[in-house]
Amino acid sequence: QLQVVESGGGLVQPGGSLRLSCVASGFTLDDYAVGWFRQAPGKESEGVSCIGKSGLITRYDDSVRGRFTISRDNAKNTVYLQMNSLSPEDTAVYSCAAQRRNGDTCTFTRAYDYWGQGTQVTVSS
């Protein structure tokens, strides 16, 4: 089965850190850009970060730039999202998605091929 699976979510206090993982199953990620999206209750889904297939190109939403870092290890078929200095505004379900591309770039469009089911991140004291 072709899918991506997220892990690493949980409850963390403000100022804390979490690292999310996105692992591909049934295919290899080396031809895919990967994006992280999040959706808080009552809000629309928004793009958080994305990474091109080689890892050289990355993008961040303004709300997380400087706090979050996206990276990938194609040998492990995994993309990571390191989240530091978390605040309650970061509380959401975080999903990863993979998009097959020729070019070494990424976007926050919804036109991704495979979507994970999401992992809950809750930032609260």
Side-chain angles (χ1 to χ4, degrees), residues 38-46 88-94 120:
R38 67 184 181 186
Q39 186 167 23
K43 298 183 178 180
E44 295 186 2
S45 178
E46 63 177 350
E89 290 72 31
D90 297 312
T91 296
V93 175
Y94 285 71
Q120 176 70 49

Side-chain angles (χ1 to χ4, degrees), residues 20 34-40 44-51 58-70 81-83 86 89-90 92-96 106-110 112 115:
L20 306 182
V34 175
W36 285 97
F37 299 80
R38 67 184 181 186
Q39 186 167 23
E44 295 186 2
S45 178
E46 63 177 350
V48 176
S49 183
C50 67
I51 188 167
T58 59
R59 295 182 61 194
Y60 298 93
D61 183 77
D62 289 342
S63 66
V64 307
R65 186 175 293 108
R67 300 187 297 119
F68 291 11
T69 302
I70 191 170
L81 184 67
Q82 179 67 46
M83 305 185 296
L86 287 164
E89 290 72 31
D90 297 312
V93 175
Y94 285 71
S95 301
C96 69
C106 69
T107 70
F108 288 137
T109 68
R110 305 296 294 183
Y112 279 72
W115 288 83

Side-chain angles (χ1 to χ4, degrees), residues 9-125:
L11 175 64
V12 64
Q13 294 187 358
S17 298
L18 287 173
R19 189 176 78 158
L20 306 182
S21 298
C22 175
V23 181
S25 177
F27 69 102
T28 56
L29 279 179
D30 58 345
D31 290 328
Y32 291 78
V34 175
W36 285 97
F37 299 80
R38 67 184 181 186
Q39 186 167 23
K43 298 183 178 180
E44 295 186 2
S45 178
E46 63 177 350
V48 176
S49 183
C50 67
I51 188 167
K53 59 185 182 180
S54 77
L56 296 177
I57 304 299
T58 59
R59 295 182 61 194
Y60 298 93
D61 183 77
D62 289 342
S63 66
V64 307
R65 186 175 293 108
R67 300 187 297 119
F68 291 11
T69 302
I70 191 170
S71 62
R72 67 189 298 158
D73 187 341
N74 286 345
K76 296 182 178 180
N77 226 26
T78 301
V79 170
Y80 305 97
L81 184 67
Q82 179 67 46
M83 305 185 296
N84 299 326
S85 301
L86 287 164
S87 69
E89 290 72 31
D90 297 312
T91 296
V93 175
Y94 285 71
S95 301
C96 69
Q99 180 187 54
R100 188 177 181 90
R101 299 186 66 99
N102 291 323
D104 190 15
T105 187
C106 69
T107 70
F108 288 137
T109 68
R110 305 296 294 183
Y112 279 72
D113 299 304
Y114 306 111
W115 288 83
Q117 295 185 6
T119 184
Q120 176 70 49
V121 172
T122 302
V123 185
S124 176
S125 60

